[in-house]
Amino acid sequence: MITRYRIRSMSQTQLHIRQMTLDDIDLAMTLKDQVGWNQTRDDIRRLVEYEPEGCFIAEFEGVPVGTVSTTSYGTKVAWIGMMLVLPEYRRRGIARRLMQTSIDYLRERNVTCIKLDATPLGQPLYEQLGFHAEWDFQRWEREGENVATFPLDGELSSALIAMDETAFGADRSRWLNSVASGCRVVATQSSYGMLRPGSVATYLGPVVSENSSQAASMIGEMLTTAEGRVFWDIPTGNSVAESLAAQHGLQPVRQLLRMWSGDANVAGRPELQFALLDPTTG
Ligand SMILES: CC(C)(COP(=O)(O)OP(=O)(O)OC[C@H]1O[C@@H](n2cnc3c(N)ncnc32)[C@H](O)[C@@H]1OP(=O)(O)O)[C@@H](O)C(=O)NCCC(=O)NCCS
C-alpha cells in the first residue's frame, strides 16, 4: 500500500512526499549522483527491500527533488539516511518535511531511538528537530583513478554478529547479512571487516574488533586488495585506525557528526568500531 503524506504549509500541487519503490532506483541514483555520493544501485535496492515502507521521495511540482531512507534495527534504534535535496530546491522546508515523514514513520513503528550521521549542512536542521550530538567522525580518503573490483561473497558468523551487537549497541544482523552478501568479508575469531563496492570509491567498513592488532592486520590486507580510490569513516580519536589510514595514504577530507533523538541514546562501544558501516545506516 502506498501512503501519501500530506503537506500542510505548501499546496499539494507543489510538494508531496511518496514512498520510494524498487522502480525508483534509477531516479535515486540520478539524485545522489548530483551530490557525488558513493551508493551503488545495489545499495539503494537493499535499502528499499529492507525497509519497503520507510524510504521516501519528495516531488516538487511533479519534479523529484529529494530522498530520505530509514533503516530499523528492531524497535531499539533506527537510522535515517540518504537525506538530500537538490541544490536549486533547498531552503524551502523540503528536507524538514522528509525528516518529519521519516520520524513519524519510525515512531508509528515504536522505534525508541533514532540516529543519523549529519553533514554540516544538515546539522542545524537536525538540531531543530531535537537531535543531540553524540560523537564525530572523519571521512578519510585515498585518491585514485579507478575503483577496485573484487569478489563479492561475504558472510558473517553468529559469534561475530554477537560481537557487532556489543560494538553497535543493537542487533543489526539482518542488515549486516544483507550488506555482507554484496561485499568482501575478512574475519577472524574476534574481528571482522568489509570491503564494499562504491560508485565513486571502494568503501572500507564496517570493521569491528576486540583486538586492535588483529584489526590492523585485517585492514592492511583489505587495503592491499583495494587499489584505487578508497573511503573510510573513522570515529575521531581511534588512533589505531587513524595512524593506519595515514600509513596507507589516506587523508581526512570531511567531518560528520553522529546524532541521536529519543528517550535515551543507544551508544554501543565506539572504541570497537575501527570503521563505520556507512553514514546512511550507521
Ligand atoms: C541538508 C539538506 C538536505 C537540507 O535541505 P533543505 O531542503 O534545504 O532543508 P530545509 O529547507 O528543510 O531547511 C534548511 C534551512 O532552510 C530554512 N527554511 C525552511 N523553509 C524555508 C523557507 N520557506 N524559506 C527560507 N528558508 C527556509 C530552514 O529553517 C533551515 O534553515 P537553517 O538551516 O538556517 O535553520 C540539503 O542542504 C542537502 O541536500 N545538502 C547536501 C546533502 C547533505 O549534506 N545531506 C545531509 C546529510 S546528513
Side-chain angles (χ1 to χ4, degrees), residues 9-10 35 37 65-67 80-87 89-99 116-126 128-129 254 256-257 259 279:
S9 62
M10 287 189 224
V35 291
W37 283 352
V65 297
T67 59
I80 293 180
M82 289 214 56
M83 180 67 259
L84 82 83
V85 173
L86 292 182
Y89 292 92
R90 288 180 191 163
R91 300 193 66 79
R92 305 174 195 219
I94 295 175
R96 180 183 289 272
R97 294 294 182 179
L98 282 165
M99 282 297 297
L116 53 78
D117 291 332
T119 61
L121 273 177
Q123 184 184 340
L125 174 65
Y126 307 144
Q128 288 170 28
L129 291 169
R254 62 192 179 106
L256 294 102
L257 179 67
M259 303 183 85

mmCIF file of all heavy atoms in Angstrom, residues 9-10 35 37 65-67 80-87 89-99 116-126 128-129 254 256-257 259 279, ligand 1:
data_model
loop_
_atom_site.group_PDB
_atom_site.id
_atom_site.type_symbol
_atom_site.label_atom_id
_atom_site.label_comp_id
_atom_site.label_asym_id
_atom_site.label_seq_id
_atom_site.Cartn_x
_atom_site.Cartn_y
_atom_site.Cartn_z
ATOM 1 N N SER A 9 1.836 23.139 4.818
ATOM 2 C CA SER A 9 2.120 24.540 4.548
ATOM 3 C C SER A 9 2.364 24.836 3.067
ATOM 4 O O SER A 9 2.370 25.974 2.656
ATOM 5 C CB SER A 9 3.324 25.004 5.365
ATOM 6 O OG SER A 9 4.441 24.256 4.978
ATOM 7 N N MET A 10 2.584 23.799 2.268
ATOM 8 C CA MET A 10 2.702 24.017 0.835
ATOM 9 C C MET A 10 1.512 23.317 0.195
ATOM 10 O O MET A 10 1.062 22.292 0.688
ATOM 11 C CB MET A 10 3.979 23.378 0.291
ATOM 12 C CG MET A 10 5.222 24.110 0.671
ATOM 13 S SD MET A 10 6.612 23.444 -0.219
ATOM 14 C CE MET A 10 7.803 23.346 1.086
ATOM 15 N N VAL A 35 24.963 14.962 -5.940
ATOM 16 C CA VAL A 35 25.750 15.421 -4.785
ATOM 17 C C VAL A 35 27.006 14.563 -4.586
ATOM 18 O O VAL A 35 27.710 14.701 -3.597
ATOM 19 C CB VAL A 35 24.908 15.478 -3.483
ATOM 20 C CG1 VAL A 35 23.870 16.575 -3.553
ATOM 21 C CG2 VAL A 35 24.247 14.139 -3.179
ATOM 22 N N TRP A 37 27.485 11.272 -4.045
ATOM 23 C CA TRP A 37 27.538 10.212 -3.046
ATOM 24 C C TRP A 37 27.959 8.891 -3.674
ATOM 25 O O TRP A 37 27.935 8.717 -4.894
ATOM 26 C CB TRP A 37 26.185 10.084 -2.332
ATOM 27 C CG TRP A 37 25.965 11.172 -1.310
ATOM 28 C CD1 TRP A 37 26.881 12.098 -0.892
ATOM 29 C CD2 TRP A 37 24.771 11.447 -0.587
ATOM 30 N NE1 TRP A 37 26.317 12.919 0.048
ATOM 31 C CE2 TRP A 37 25.024 12.547 0.261
ATOM 32 C CE3 TRP A 37 23.501 10.875 -0.562
ATOM 33 C CZ2 TRP A 37 24.059 13.079 1.114
ATOM 34 C CZ3 TRP A 37 22.542 11.401 0.285
ATOM 35 C CH2 TRP A 37 22.822 12.488 1.118
ATOM 36 N N VAL A 65 12.890 15.793 -6.272
ATOM 37 C CA VAL A 65 13.943 16.730 -5.836
ATOM 38 C C VAL A 65 14.673 16.286 -4.565
ATOM 39 O O VAL A 65 15.643 16.927 -4.173
ATOM 40 C CB VAL A 65 13.373 18.147 -5.605
ATOM 41 C CG1 VAL A 65 12.837 18.732 -6.900
ATOM 42 C CG2 VAL A 65 12.289 18.159 -4.530
ATOM 43 N N GLY A 66 14.208 15.210 -3.920
ATOM 44 C CA GLY A 66 14.867 14.836 -2.673
ATOM 45 C C GLY A 66 14.564 13.405 -2.277
ATOM 46 O O GLY A 66 13.598 12.804 -2.766
ATOM 47 N N THR A 67 15.423 12.865 -1.417
ATOM 48 C CA THR A 67 15.240 11.492 -0.923
ATOM 49 C C THR A 67 15.524 11.424 0.574
ATOM 50 O O THR A 67 16.215 12.286 1.129
ATOM 51 C CB THR A 67 16.235 10.506 -1.586
ATOM 52 O OG1 THR A 67 17.571 10.936 -1.318
ATOM 53 C CG2 THR A 67 16.027 10.383 -3.071
ATOM 54 N N ILE A 80 18.345 7.225 9.986
ATOM 55 C CA ILE A 80 17.823 7.996 8.855
ATOM 56 C C ILE A 80 19.008 8.339 7.956
ATOM 57 O O ILE A 80 20.059 8.781 8.440
ATOM 58 C CB ILE A 80 17.110 9.275 9.334
ATOM 59 C CG1 ILE A 80 15.841 8.891 10.106
ATOM 60 C CG2 ILE A 80 16.761 10.173 8.150
ATOM 61 C CD1 ILE A 80 15.029 10.085 10.631
ATOM 62 N N GLY A 81 18.865 8.096 6.663
ATOM 63 C CA GLY A 81 19.971 8.344 5.732
ATOM 64 C C GLY A 81 19.470 8.852 4.394
ATOM 65 O O GLY A 81 18.271 9.093 4.210
ATOM 66 N N MET A 82 20.380 8.996 3.459
ATOM 67 C CA MET A 82 20.084 9.461 2.094
ATOM 68 C C MET A 82 19.290 10.767 2.077
ATOM 69 O O MET A 82 18.465 10.999 1.194
ATOM 70 C CB MET A 82 19.339 8.383 1.292
ATOM 71 C CG MET A 82 20.271 7.247 0.960
ATOM 72 S SD MET A 82 20.020 6.440 -0.599
ATOM 73 C CE MET A 82 20.111 7.672 -1.836
ATOM 74 N N MET A 83 19.529 11.607 3.098
ATOM 75 C CA MET A 83 18.793 12.871 3.206
ATOM 76 C C MET A 83 19.432 13.878 2.260
ATOM 77 O O MET A 83 20.484 14.431 2.543
ATOM 78 C CB MET A 83 18.888 13.324 4.667
ATOM 79 C CG MET A 83 18.204 14.620 5.013
ATOM 80 S SD MET A 83 16.440 14.544 4.880
ATOM 81 C CE MET A 83 16.195 15.329 3.316
ATOM 82 N N LEU A 84 18.782 14.087 1.144
ATOM 83 C CA LEU A 84 19.318 15.086 0.215
ATOM 84 C C LEU A 84 18.191 15.792 -0.513
ATOM 85 O O LEU A 84 17.125 15.218 -0.761
ATOM 86 C CB LEU A 84 20.307 14.454 -0.784
ATOM 87 C CG LEU A 84 19.807 13.738 -2.014
ATOM 88 C CD1 LEU A 84 19.504 14.685 -3.161
ATOM 89 C CD2 LEU A 84 20.861 12.749 -2.471
ATOM 90 N N VAL A 85 18.456 17.069 -0.804
ATOM 91 C CA VAL A 85 17.548 17.895 -1.616
ATOM 92 C C VAL A 85 18.416 18.564 -2.679
ATOM 93 O O VAL A 85 19.514 19.057 -2.375
ATOM 94 C CB VAL A 85 16.828 18.940 -0.735
ATOM 95 C CG1 VAL A 85 16.025 19.917 -1.584
ATOM 96 C CG2 VAL A 85 15.909 18.259 0.280
ATOM 97 N N LEU A 86 17.950 18.550 -3.912
ATOM 98 C CA LEU A 86 18.749 19.164 -4.990
ATOM 99 C C LEU A 86 19.004 20.639 -4.683
ATOM 100 O O LEU A 86 18.118 21.334 -4.161
ATOM 101 C CB LEU A 86 18.003 19.040 -6.326
ATOM 102 C CG LEU A 86 17.867 17.617 -6.875
ATOM 103 C CD1 LEU A 86 17.151 17.643 -8.221
ATOM 104 C CD2 LEU A 86 19.221 16.935 -7.003
ATOM 105 N N PRO A 87 20.218 21.133 -5.036
ATOM 106 C CA PRO A 87 20.611 22.482 -4.621
ATOM 107 C C PRO A 87 19.586 23.569 -4.950
ATOM 108 O O PRO A 87 19.277 24.412 -4.110
ATOM 109 C CB PRO A 87 21.920 22.716 -5.393
ATOM 110 C CG PRO A 87 22.483 21.347 -5.592
ATOM 111 C CD PRO A 87 21.301 20.418 -5.719
ATOM 112 N N TYR A 89 16.486 23.498 -5.016
ATOM 113 C CA TYR A 89 15.218 23.390 -4.280
ATOM 114 C C TYR A 89 15.402 23.503 -2.760
ATOM 115 O O TYR A 89 14.475 23.241 -2.003
ATOM 116 C CB TYR A 89 14.532 22.056 -4.619
ATOM 117 C CG TYR A 89 14.045 22.010 -6.047
ATOM 118 C CD1 TYR A 89 14.862 21.500 -7.054
ATOM 119 C CD2 TYR A 89 12.798 22.509 -6.394
ATOM 120 C CE1 TYR A 89 14.428 21.474 -8.380
ATOM 121 C CE2 TYR A 89 12.352 22.484 -7.706
ATOM 122 C CZ TYR A 89 13.177 21.981 -8.692
ATOM 123 O OH TYR A 89 12.741 21.967 -9.998
ATOM 124 N N ARG A 90 16.623 23.886 -2.354
ATOM 125 C CA ARG A 90 16.898 23.935 -0.902
ATOM 126 C C ARG A 90 16.310 25.184 -0.252
ATOM 127 O O ARG A 90 15.957 26.139 -0.917
ATOM 128 C CB ARG A 90 18.426 23.886 -0.669
ATOM 129 C CG ARG A 90 18.966 22.497 -0.978
ATOM 130 C CD ARG A 90 20.457 22.375 -0.759
ATOM 131 N NE ARG A 90 20.899 21.105 -1.334
ATOM 132 C CZ ARG A 90 22.152 20.794 -1.611
ATOM 133 N NH1 ARG A 90 23.123 21.655 -1.363
ATOM 134 N NH2 ARG A 90 22.447 19.609 -2.134
ATOM 135 N N ARG A 91 16.246 25.160 1.095
ATOM 136 C CA ARG A 91 15.780 26.267 1.922
ATOM 137 C C ARG A 91 14.320 26.637 1.635
ATOM 138 O O ARG A 91 13.945 27.812 1.596
ATOM 139 C CB ARG A 91 16.708 27.481 1.788
ATOM 140 C CG ARG A 91 18.142 27.128 2.217
ATOM 141 C CD ARG A 91 18.998 28.355 2.399
ATOM 142 N NE ARG A 91 18.520 29.174 3.513
ATOM 143 C CZ ARG A 91 18.757 28.914 4.796
ATOM 144 N NH1 ARG A 91 19.465 27.866 5.132
ATOM 145 N NH2 ARG A 91 18.290 29.715 5.727
ATOM 146 N N ARG A 92 13.517 25.598 1.397
ATOM 147 C CA ARG A 92 12.067 25.788 1.269
ATOM 148 C C ARG A 92 11.350 24.855 2.230
ATOM 149 O O ARG A 92 10.151 24.653 2.125
ATOM 150 C CB ARG A 92 11.586 25.408 -0.136
ATOM 151 C CG ARG A 92 12.286 26.103 -1.262
ATOM 152 C CD ARG A 92 11.791 25.486 -2.560
ATOM 153 N NE ARG A 92 12.665 25.862 -3.645
ATOM 154 C CZ ARG A 92 12.259 26.160 -4.854
ATOM 155 N NH1 ARG A 92 10.978 26.116 -5.139
ATOM 156 N NH2 ARG A 92 13.101 26.473 -5.793
ATOM 157 N N GLY A 93 12.121 24.176 3.084
ATOM 158 C CA GLY A 93 11.499 23.273 4.048
ATOM 159 C C GLY A 93 11.281 21.857 3.535
ATOM 160 O O GLY A 93 10.587 21.069 4.179
ATOM 161 N N ILE A 94 11.885 21.504 2.390
ATOM 162 C CA ILE A 94 11.651 20.156 1.837
ATOM 163 C C ILE A 94 12.336 19.091 2.702
ATOM 164 O O ILE A 94 11.748 18.056 3.024
ATOM 165 C CB ILE A 94 12.103 20.084 0.357
ATOM 166 C CG1 ILE A 94 11.233 21.017 -0.487
ATOM 167 C CG2 ILE A 94 12.031 18.645 -0.164
ATOM 168 C CD1 ILE A 94 11.634 21.141 -1.947
ATOM 169 N N ALA A 95 13.586 19.358 3.125
ATOM 170 C CA ALA A 95 14.272 18.378 3.988
ATOM 171 C C ALA A 95 13.521 18.216 5.312
ATOM 172 O O ALA A 95 13.379 17.102 5.825
ATOM 173 C CB ALA A 95 15.709 18.820 4.257
ATOM 174 N N ARG A 96 13.042 19.309 5.843
ATOM 175 C CA ARG A 96 12.276 19.224 7.098
ATOM 176 C C ARG A 96 11.081 18.284 6.931
ATOM 177 O O ARG A 96 10.792 17.458 7.786
ATOM 178 C CB ARG A 96 11.824 20.627 7.517
ATOM 179 C CG ARG A 96 11.026 20.666 8.790
ATOM 180 C CD ARG A 96 10.569 22.078 9.087
ATOM 181 N NE ARG A 96 11.674 22.926 9.480
ATOM 182 C CZ ARG A 96 12.115 23.066 10.739
ATOM 183 N NH1 ARG A 96 11.493 22.424 11.720
ATOM 184 N NH2 ARG A 96 13.137 23.837 11.031
ATOM 185 N N ARG A 97 10.367 18.404 5.798
ATOM 186 C CA ARG A 97 9.202 17.534 5.550
ATOM 187 C C ARG A 97 9.618 16.077 5.387
ATOM 188 O O ARG A 97 8.946 15.175 5.870
ATOM 189 C CB ARG A 97 8.456 17.996 4.292
ATOM 190 C CG ARG A 97 7.826 19.350 4.433
ATOM 191 C CD ARG A 97 6.713 19.302 5.462
ATOM 192 N NE ARG A 97 6.083 20.600 5.565
ATOM 193 C CZ ARG A 97 5.074 20.872 6.358
ATOM 194 N NH1 ARG A 97 4.565 19.927 7.118
ATOM 195 N NH2 ARG A 97 4.577 22.086 6.405
ATOM 196 N N LEU A 98 10.715 15.857 4.693
ATOM 197 C CA LEU A 98 11.196 14.475 4.539
ATOM 198 C C LEU A 98 11.591 13.905 5.900
ATOM 199 O O LEU A 98 11.300 12.752 6.221
ATOM 200 C CB LEU A 98 12.394 14.434 3.578
ATOM 201 C CG LEU A 98 12.054 14.521 2.088
ATOM 202 C CD1 LEU A 98 13.304 14.838 1.262
ATOM 203 C CD2 LEU A 98 11.423 13.216 1.589
ATOM 204 N N MET A 99 12.276 14.726 6.712
ATOM 205 C CA MET A 99 12.683 14.274 8.049
ATOM 206 C C MET A 99 11.457 13.963 8.904
ATOM 207 O O MET A 99 11.393 12.940 9.576
ATOM 208 C CB MET A 99 13.513 15.357 8.751
ATOM 209 C CG MET A 99 14.948 15.442 8.302
ATOM 210 S SD MET A 99 15.893 13.948 8.658
ATOM 211 C CE MET A 99 15.851 13.886 10.436
ATOM 212 N N LEU A 116 21.351 9.351 13.213
ATOM 213 C CA LEU A 116 21.783 9.713 11.856
ATOM 214 C C LEU A 116 23.188 10.278 11.926
ATOM 215 O O LEU A 116 23.689 10.613 13.006
ATOM 216 C CB LEU A 116 20.813 10.723 11.228
ATOM 217 C CG LEU A 116 20.485 12.003 12.002
ATOM 218 C CD1 LEU A 116 21.598 13.039 11.895
ATOM 219 C CD2 LEU A 116 19.198 12.597 11.479
ATOM 220 N N ASP A 117 23.813 10.358 10.777
ATOM 221 C CA ASP A 117 25.152 10.935 10.656
ATOM 222 C C ASP A 117 25.026 12.227 9.853
ATOM 223 O O ASP A 117 24.674 12.196 8.674
ATOM 224 C CB ASP A 117 26.096 9.939 9.984
ATOM 225 C CG ASP A 117 26.386 8.743 10.892
ATOM 226 O OD1 ASP A 117 26.326 8.913 12.125
ATOM 227 O OD2 ASP A 117 26.661 7.655 10.368
ATOM 228 N N ALA A 118 25.314 13.348 10.524
ATOM 229 C CA ALA A 118 24.995 14.661 9.942
ATOM 230 C C ALA A 118 26.198 15.291 9.248
ATOM 231 O O ALA A 118 27.306 15.286 9.775
ATOM 232 C CB ALA A 118 24.524 15.604 11.052
ATOM 233 N N THR A 119 25.936 15.854 8.081
ATOM 234 C CA THR A 119 26.909 16.754 7.454
ATOM 235 C C THR A 119 26.705 18.141 8.081
ATOM 236 O O THR A 119 25.651 18.407 8.684
ATOM 237 C CB THR A 119 26.657 16.867 5.940
ATOM 238 O OG1 THR A 119 25.335 17.408 5.746
ATOM 239 C CG2 THR A 119 26.758 15.516 5.243
ATOM 240 N N PRO A 120 27.688 19.054 7.915
ATOM 241 C CA PRO A 120 27.491 20.404 8.442
ATOM 242 C C PRO A 120 26.242 21.076 7.856
ATOM 243 O O PRO A 120 25.588 21.868 8.538
ATOM 244 C CB PRO A 120 28.773 21.130 8.016
ATOM 245 C CG PRO A 120 29.803 20.042 7.904
ATOM 246 C CD PRO A 120 29.058 18.832 7.391
ATOM 247 N N LEU A 121 25.865 20.731 6.609
ATOM 248 C CA LEU A 121 24.658 21.330 6.015
ATOM 249 C C LEU A 121 23.386 20.845 6.707
ATOM 250 O O LEU A 121 22.416 21.590 6.838
ATOM 251 C CB LEU A 121 24.577 20.955 4.528
ATOM 252 C CG LEU A 121 25.304 21.838 3.534
ATOM 253 C CD1 LEU A 121 25.161 21.253 2.120
ATOM 254 C CD2 LEU A 121 24.747 23.259 3.568
ATOM 255 N N GLY A 122 23.390 19.572 7.125
ATOM 256 C CA GLY A 122 22.175 19.011 7.726
ATOM 257 C C GLY A 122 22.054 19.272 9.216
ATOM 258 O O GLY A 122 20.943 19.337 9.754
ATOM 259 N N GLN A 123 23.183 19.460 9.904
ATOM 260 C CA GLN A 123 23.188 19.517 11.376
ATOM 261 C C GLN A 123 22.218 20.544 11.979
ATOM 262 O O GLN A 123 21.477 20.206 12.916
ATOM 263 C CB GLN A 123 24.626 19.762 11.859
ATOM 264 C CG GLN A 123 24.752 19.731 13.369
ATOM 265 C CD GLN A 123 26.168 20.066 13.831
ATOM 266 O OE1 GLN A 123 27.124 19.961 13.064
ATOM 267 N NE2 GLN A 123 26.297 20.469 15.075
ATOM 268 N N PRO A 124 22.167 21.802 11.468
ATOM 269 C CA PRO A 124 21.249 22.771 12.107
ATOM 270 C C PRO A 124 19.789 22.315 12.054
ATOM 271 O O PRO A 124 19.054 22.468 13.027
ATOM 272 C CB PRO A 124 21.451 24.057 11.291
ATOM 273 C CG PRO A 124 22.778 23.883 10.619
ATOM 274 C CD PRO A 124 22.943 22.408 10.387
ATOM 275 N N LEU A 125 19.397 21.716 10.928
ATOM 276 C CA LEU A 125 18.022 21.236 10.803
ATOM 277 C C LEU A 125 17.764 20.107 11.801
ATOM 278 O O LEU A 125 16.725 20.077 12.477
ATOM 279 C CB LEU A 125 17.776 20.754 9.364
ATOM 280 C CG LEU A 125 16.419 20.098 9.117
ATOM 281 C CD1 LEU A 125 15.285 21.107 9.297
ATOM 282 C CD2 LEU A 125 16.365 19.498 7.715
ATOM 283 N N TYR A 126 18.713 19.186 11.940
ATOM 284 C CA TYR A 126 18.514 18.060 12.861
ATOM 285 C C TYR A 126 18.436 18.562 14.305
ATOM 286 O O TYR A 126 17.671 18.033 15.102
ATOM 287 C CB TYR A 126 19.630 17.019 12.699
ATOM 288 C CG TYR A 126 19.816 16.544 11.263
ATOM 289 C CD1 TYR A 126 21.077 16.256 10.752
ATOM 290 C CD2 TYR A 126 18.729 16.398 10.416
ATOM 291 C CE1 TYR A 126 21.247 15.833 9.443
ATOM 292 C CE2 TYR A 126 18.881 15.985 9.107
ATOM 293 C CZ TYR A 126 20.143 15.712 8.624
ATOM 294 O OH TYR A 126 20.299 15.309 7.328
ATOM 295 N N GLN A 128 17.241 21.426 15.205
ATOM 296 C CA GLN A 128 15.889 21.987 15.352
ATOM 297 C C GLN A 128 14.850 20.882 15.564
ATOM 298 O O GLN A 128 13.829 21.093 16.202
ATOM 299 C CB GLN A 128 15.498 22.789 14.110
ATOM 300 C CG GLN A 128 16.219 24.115 13.973
ATOM 301 C CD GLN A 128 15.957 24.739 12.612
ATOM 302 O OE1 GLN A 128 14.931 24.512 11.983
ATOM 303 N NE2 GLN A 128 16.917 25.522 12.136
ATOM 304 N N LEU A 129 15.126 19.702 15.013
ATOM 305 C CA LEU A 129 14.174 18.588 15.136
ATOM 306 C C LEU A 129 14.434 17.744 16.388
ATOM 307 O O LEU A 129 13.845 16.678 16.552
ATOM 308 C CB LEU A 129 14.246 17.704 13.880
ATOM 309 C CG LEU A 129 13.696 18.360 12.607
ATOM 310 C CD1 LEU A 129 14.056 17.545 11.366
ATOM 311 C CD2 LEU A 129 12.182 18.542 12.676
ATOM 312 N N ARG A 254 36.625 15.189 5.353
ATOM 313 C CA ARG A 254 35.498 15.938 5.914
ATOM 314 C C ARG A 254 35.040 15.323 7.226
ATOM 315 O O ARG A 254 35.302 14.152 7.495
ATOM 316 C CB ARG A 254 34.341 16.083 4.938
ATOM 317 C CG ARG A 254 33.691 14.822 4.486
ATOM 318 C CD ARG A 254 32.771 15.145 3.317
ATOM 319 N NE ARG A 254 32.104 13.972 2.799
ATOM 320 C CZ ARG A 254 30.830 13.681 2.981
ATOM 321 N NH1 ARG A 254 30.068 14.495 3.680
ATOM 322 N NH2 ARG A 254 30.296 12.611 2.461
ATOM 323 N N LEU A 256 31.940 14.549 10.000
ATOM 324 C CA LEU A 256 30.498 14.345 10.165
ATOM 325 C C LEU A 256 30.211 14.130 11.641
ATOM 326 O O LEU A 256 31.118 13.810 12.413
ATOM 327 C CB LEU A 256 30.025 13.134 9.359
ATOM 328 C CG LEU A 256 30.137 13.304 7.839
ATOM 329 C CD1 LEU A 256 31.343 12.569 7.308
ATOM 330 C CD2 LEU A 256 28.892 12.810 7.148
ATOM 331 N N LEU A 257 28.952 14.284 11.998
ATOM 332 C CA LEU A 257 28.562 14.204 13.404
ATOM 333 C C LEU A 257 27.468 13.167 13.585
ATOM 334 O O LEU A 257 26.416 13.246 12.932
ATOM 335 C CB LEU A 257 28.037 15.572 13.866
ATOM 336 C CG LEU A 257 27.560 15.656 15.312
ATOM 337 C CD1 LEU A 257 28.732 15.487 16.286
ATOM 338 C CD2 LEU A 257 26.866 17.009 15.553
ATOM 339 N N MET A 259 24.399 11.740 15.500
ATOM 340 C CA MET A 259 23.389 12.389 16.346
ATOM 341 C C MET A 259 22.294 11.371 16.697
ATOM 342 O O MET A 259 22.087 10.404 15.968
ATOM 343 C CB MET A 259 22.771 13.586 15.615
ATOM 344 C CG MET A 259 23.804 14.610 15.173
ATOM 345 S SD MET A 259 23.055 16.063 14.374
ATOM 346 C CE MET A 259 22.646 17.063 15.795
ATOM 347 N N PRO A 279 27.468 6.257 6.534
ATOM 348 C CA PRO A 279 26.632 7.302 7.131
ATOM 349 C C PRO A 279 25.136 7.128 6.830
ATOM 350 O O PRO A 279 24.305 7.788 7.452
ATOM 351 C CB PRO A 279 27.152 8.598 6.491
ATOM 352 C CG PRO A 279 28.516 8.255 5.970
ATOM 353 C CD PRO A 279 28.451 6.804 5.593
HETATM 354 C C1 LIG B 1 20.921 19.298 4.247
HETATM 355 C C2 LIG B 1 19.827 19.445 3.182
HETATM 356 C C3 LIG B 1 19.165 18.083 2.992
HETATM 357 C C4 LIG B 1 18.802 20.476 3.676
HETATM 358 O O1 LIG B 1 17.744 20.550 2.699
HETATM 359 P P1 LIG B 1 16.715 21.771 2.632
HETATM 360 O O2 LIG B 1 15.525 21.302 1.877
HETATM 361 O O3 LIG B 1 17.406 22.990 2.184
HETATM 362 O O4 LIG B 1 16.351 21.947 4.176
HETATM 363 P P2 LIG B 1 15.135 22.831 4.739
HETATM 364 O O5 LIG B 1 14.721 23.838 3.750
HETATM 365 O O6 LIG B 1 14.099 21.920 5.269
HETATM 366 O O7 LIG B 1 15.861 23.524 5.942
HETATM 367 C C5 LIG B 1 17.107 24.156 5.713
HETATM 368 C C6 LIG B 1 17.042 25.591 6.120
HETATM 369 O O8 LIG B 1 16.094 26.316 5.342
HETATM 370 C C7 LIG B 1 15.238 27.050 6.234
HETATM 371 N N1 LIG B 1 13.949 27.125 5.566
HETATM 372 C C8 LIG B 1 12.935 26.271 5.653
HETATM 373 N N2 LIG B 1 11.885 26.721 4.926
HETATM 374 C C9 LIG B 1 12.280 27.881 4.371
HETATM 375 C C10 LIG B 1 11.680 28.805 3.502
HETATM 376 N N3 LIG B 1 10.412 28.648 3.080
HETATM 377 N N4 LIG B 1 12.423 29.861 3.108
HETATM 378 C C11 LIG B 1 13.691 30.035 3.539
HETATM 379 N N5 LIG B 1 14.301 29.181 4.354
HETATM 380 C C12 LIG B 1 13.614 28.129 4.769
HETATM 381 C C13 LIG B 1 15.212 26.187 7.449
HETATM 382 O O9 LIG B 1 14.798 26.887 8.601
HETATM 383 C C14 LIG B 1 16.630 25.823 7.542
HETATM 384 O O10 LIG B 1 17.362 26.933 7.972
HETATM 385 P P3 LIG B 1 18.542 26.834 8.971
HETATM 386 O O11 LIG B 1 19.424 25.707 8.475
HETATM 387 O O12 LIG B 1 19.210 28.154 8.937
HETATM 388 O O13 LIG B 1 17.899 26.538 10.259
HETATM 389 C C15 LIG B 1 20.420 19.942 1.848
HETATM 390 O O14 LIG B 1 21.208 21.083 2.086
HETATM 391 C C16 LIG B 1 21.283 18.915 1.128
HETATM 392 O O15 LIG B 1 20.780 18.044 0.398
HETATM 393 N N6 LIG B 1 22.616 19.011 1.282
HETATM 394 C C17 LIG B 1 23.553 18.099 0.611
HETATM 395 C C18 LIG B 1 23.472 16.697 1.141
HETATM 396 C C19 LIG B 1 23.605 16.671 2.638
HETATM 397 O O16 LIG B 1 24.542 17.205 3.215
HETATM 398 N N7 LIG B 1 22.628 15.998 3.265
HETATM 399 C C20 LIG B 1 22.586 15.850 4.702
HETATM 400 C C21 LIG B 1 23.130 14.515 5.036
HETATM 401 S S1 LIG B 1 23.151 14.312 6.772
#
